[in-house]
Amino acid sequence: MIHPLSIPSPSDEWQVFNLGQWLRDLGLTWFSWDVSIYAYALCILLGIVAATMLTNHRLSRRGAEPWITLDIALFAVPLGIIGGRVYHVLTHPDDYFFEGADLWATLRIWEGGMAIFGALIGGAIGVWIGCRVTGIRFWSFADALAPGLLLAQAFGRLGNWFNQELFGLPTDLPWGLEIDRPNDAIPIGLPESTLFHPTFLYEIIWNLAGVAVLLLLDGRLRVHWGKLLGGYLIWYGVGRSVFESIRLDPSELFLGIRVNVWAAWLAVVIGIVIVIVQRRRHPGAEPSPYVAGREWTEDAGVDSEDVYTETDDDGNGAALVSATTGSSRATSEATTRS
């Protein structure tokens, strides 16, 4: 039964926006191309932008060159997207590999289907490459990025809501999610009025709470050497193992447990190992976000508020410069004569 507080799902019109048709409706009839903009893709892009901006702010505060994050993102983002898509396709083979299947669907990422664990693997490789190129310490960047990862994932889960995918088991809770039929993930025989757990919303709340927790920990304890990344893996792994267990979409099983649940548990273990090992190896703070010999220092430039010219106008500092220069010259000459 539909509850007054139930969460509606967006209609098909909200999933895809035809920019070309919108321009023609405005009178630009010469624009004959259809340009489809997917809400899911927009959510992913907004998440990447938000994570990049937060990471840049945090890395700059640690002494890195402003916006060097973009240099590393050029490697991390493409490899993260590729890794996320490959992992999703491999863990959902029945959706892409069957008789008469359109294999090009494996590449249509804008239609949905990104696995965070695959994105983490691919993105980590990209970050490692980017850090080697820029001279940034891998662990420094990882710690700066950790809260941004959860922020980006929160945006990504909003994209799942637009696509009406990855929802949970049936529920009688007031905030149940309405899902349109037909939907391949809904078991046969459930009434049309059945509501489902809004796992997308659960993960959004969990991820945003994690952003606050990681920022608070770093602000209070100055967490360095990858330990904040370990905290991210623990936080996300714990939450994901719960939300993944109540999802209805089909997924590969190993020993009767969804593969992504195993991956979430593995993330927790890896996070704990990183924290323990790095605490023992590096008990102090990082000396610099750069590796030795690759440090960046801001060049001392001319103060833009001061104007220096050859003429002695009021306020331009020429008289002071002239007097100082003359005094130094006279001292030098006197020393030479003596």
Side-chain angles (χ1 to χ4, degrees):
M1 179 178 180
I2 302 298
H3 193 279
L5 298 179
S6 61
I7 303 173
S9 289
S11 61
D12 293 341
E13 290 77 13
W14 284 93
Q15 294 181 15
V16 184
F17 173 70
N18 191 332
L19 178 61
Q21 185 60 52
W22 180 73
L23 292 175
R24 290 191 291 271
D25 292 341
L26 291 178
L28 302 178
T29 55
W30 55 268
F31 195 93
S32 59
W33 302 277
D34 286 333
V35 181
S36 298
I37 300 177
Y38 288 77
Y40 179 85
L42 282 179
C43 290
I44 295 295
L45 290 175
L46 287 174
I48 292 174
V49 171
T52 301
M53 294 182 67
L54 179 58
T55 303
N56 174 73
H57 172 72
R58 288 172 46 76
L59 197 61
S60 298
R61 289 187 60 184
R62 294 192 176 196
E65 179 183 358
W67 296 111
I68 199 171
T69 302
L70 293 179
D71 297 337
I72 300 176
L74 290 176
F75 298 95
V77 171
L79 289 178
I81 292 175
I82 293 172
R85 185 60 174 180
V86 170
Y87 187 101
H88 169 79
V89 171
L90 293 180
T91 54
H92 295 78
D94 294 340
D95 294 343
Y96 300 97
F97 306 107
F98 53 88
E99 186 176 354
D102 179 12
L103 295 181
W104 289 109
T106 60
L107 304 179
R108 292 199 287 269
I109 189 174
W110 53 86
E111 295 180 355
M114 275 286 292
I116 183 58
F117 295 115
L120 288 175
I121 296 172
I125 296 173
V127 167
W128 182 82
I129 296 173
C131 287
R132 296 279 293 182
V133 171
T134 60
I136 294 289
R137 294 181 190 270
F138 176 84
W139 293 120
S140 296
F141 189 85
D143 285 336
L145 175 63
L149 282 174
L150 288 172
L151 185 60
Q153 289 168 234
F155 277 96
R157 286 307 178 210
L158 188 62
N160 297 140
W161 175 64
F162 278 103
N163 280 1
Q164 298 196 38
E165 60 184 359
L166 311 188
F167 47 88
L169 297 168
T171 181
D172 294 328
L173 294 171
W175 55 82
L177 178 65
E178 303 172 20
I179 296 295
D180 296 333
R181 270 67 165 185
N183 191 299
D184 294 338
I186 299 178
I188 299 175
L190 287 180
E192 290 284 334
S193 59
T194 302
L195 300 178
F196 302 89
H197 278 287
T199 48
F200 83 93
L201 181 59
Y202 298 160
E203 279 207 44
I204 288 176
I205 295 173
W206 180 257
N207 291 341
L208 292 179
V211 173
V213 169
L214 293 183
L215 290 177
L216 181 62
L217 283 175
D218 195 31
R220 294 284 183 86
L221 304 177
R222 299 297 180 188
V223 185
H224 291 171
W225 296 110
K227 294 189 285 288
L228 200 67
L229 175 67
Y232 156 79
L233 291 172
I234 296 170
W235 182 274
Y236 183 71
V238 168
R240 180 62 184 270
S241 65
V242 175
F243 307 138
E244 183 73 24
S245 299
I246 64 173
R247 274 172 36 176
L248 268 183
D249 59 300
S251 180
E252 291 295 291
L253 301 178
F254 180 71
L255 299 179
I257 299 175
R258 293 168 69 98
V259 170
N260 282 335
V261 174
W262 285 107
W265 291 342
L266 179 61
V268 174
V269 173
I270 293 176
I272 293 173
V273 170
I274 289 176
V275 171
I276 294 175
V277 171
Q278 293 299 84
R279 283 189 64 183
R280 293 178 178 176
R281 292 182 60 188
H282 305 286
E286 291 175 345
S288 166
Y290 289 89
V291 297
R294 301 286 299 275
E295 293 84 356
W296 171 83
T297 56
E298 185 175 3
D299 293 331
V302 177
D303 189 344
S304 60
E305 295 182 357
D306 295 330
V307 179
Y308 298 94
T309 68
E310 294 297 330
T311 60
D312 184 11
D313 296 331
D314 291 339
N316 64 12
L320 178 60
V321 173
S322 177
T324 303
T325 304
S327 176
S328 300
R329 187 177 302 158
T331 303
S332 175
E333 292 175 354
T335 303
T336 302
R337 286 196 297 269
S338 62

